Structures are given as C-alpha cells and as structure tokens.
Amino acid sequence: MRTGELAAAGGLTAKTIRFYEQAGLLPEPPRTPAGYRDYPPQAAHRLAFIREAQAAGLTLAEIRSVLAVRDSGKAPCVHVADLIEQHLADIERRMAELRATRTALRTLADRAAATDPSTCTEDDICRIISTPPVSDNKGLSPRL
C-alpha cells in the first residue's frame, strides 16, 4: 500500500505518515522497484493504534515506547497500565488546580461586582485583584 493509500485509509495526510515514520512510530517500509514506499496491511492497524493512543492523551514518545515493547515481542499491557495511571493522576492534579482557580476567580468576580471604580486611588493598582494593605491604629502599614 502506497503512502497516499495508507494516509487515506487512516484519515491522515501523507506528510503525517512520513512524520510518523521519521519519529519511529512506523517502521520504514520496503520500496517498490520505482522507489515508492510500499506499506504492509498491518501499517493501517498501527496507525489506528497511534491515533487511539493520542486520543487517550498519550504523547508520541509514550506511544513509541509502547510500540517498542510490542515490537520486541512482548505484550505492553503493564507498561500501558502504568502510563494510564500516570495520566489519570496528572488529570486529577490538574482538575484540583482548576477547581482552586475557579474558586479564586469567583471570589474576584464577586469583588469586581462590589467594587466602585471611583473609590480607587493612585496607590491602588487594582482593588479587584489585590486589596490595599490594612493599617494598624498608628497609621503604619503592617509588616509583611
């Protein structure tokens, strides 16, 4: 199967096929007498795997590592399970960060709704983002 045929079968461009080959995701195929790449039928299955792995969030380096395990004749199940667990942990961490950011933004939105711009002074950068320091009874700013 030539590059264009493989690309069409996989819903990709020929340029992507060549990139995957250069990146070590697809083995270099044999060539026809005219010098065209002649991919075996299993190349389409490999492309489908690459696309599904990318959709699951795996990087090209991670996909390459899975393919290397498979190409060595071993089942990559343990390696894939480890990658999935790492990605799940990363997503959980990022979701927690996003929840904290959402809470902070809601607080700022409430503050913005209650802020009268006419009360801002030149000493204020933005009262929505940062509140001015509170002075003690002696008129001095608190220590930081």
Side-chain angles (χ1 to χ4, degrees):
M1 171 178 340
R2 291 197 181 154
T3 305
E5 296 168 321
L6 180 61
L12 302 167
T13 65
K15 185 176 180 178
T16 301
I17 301 295
R18 287 189 294 274
F19 171 78
Y20 285 167
E21 190 178 313
Q22 290 172 345
L25 298 168
L26 281 175
E28 187 174 332
R31 302 255 181 182
T32 66
Y36 294 106
R37 289 174 171 88
D38 189 20
Y39 290 96
Q42 59 268 36
H45 297 293
R46 194 168 178 115
L47 281 180
F49 169 79
I50 293 167
R51 290 184 70 191
E52 290 170 8
Q54 283 183 303
L58 272 65
T59 66
L60 292 181
E62 291 168 334
I63 295 167
R64 190 180 313 102
S65 72
V66 171
L67 292 170
V69 172
R70 172 47 70 199
D71 292 344
S72 74
K74 299 175 185 169
C77 301
V78 172
H79 182 59
V80 170
D82 289 343
L83 290 172
I84 290 168
E85 287 302 320
Q86 291 171 14
H87 279 268
L88 282 171
D90 185 48
I91 287 171
E92 292 297 331
R93 181 190 51 76
R94 290 188 336 212
M95 288 175 63
E97 290 170 355
L98 286 171
R99 282 190 294 273
T101 301
R102 180 182 57 202
T103 299
L105 288 171
R106 283 186 177 153
T107 299
L108 292 175
D110 292 344
R111 190 181 298 165
T115 298
D116 179 0
S118 67
T119 63
C120 293
T121 68
E122 287 185 23
D123 292 335
D124 297 327
I125 295 174
C126 177
R127 285 186 176 183
I128 296 169
I129 301 286
S130 62
T131 57
V134 178
S135 297
D136 62 15
N137 292 337
K138 298 177 184 175
L140 302 174
S141 295
R143 280 188 177 178
L144 298 179

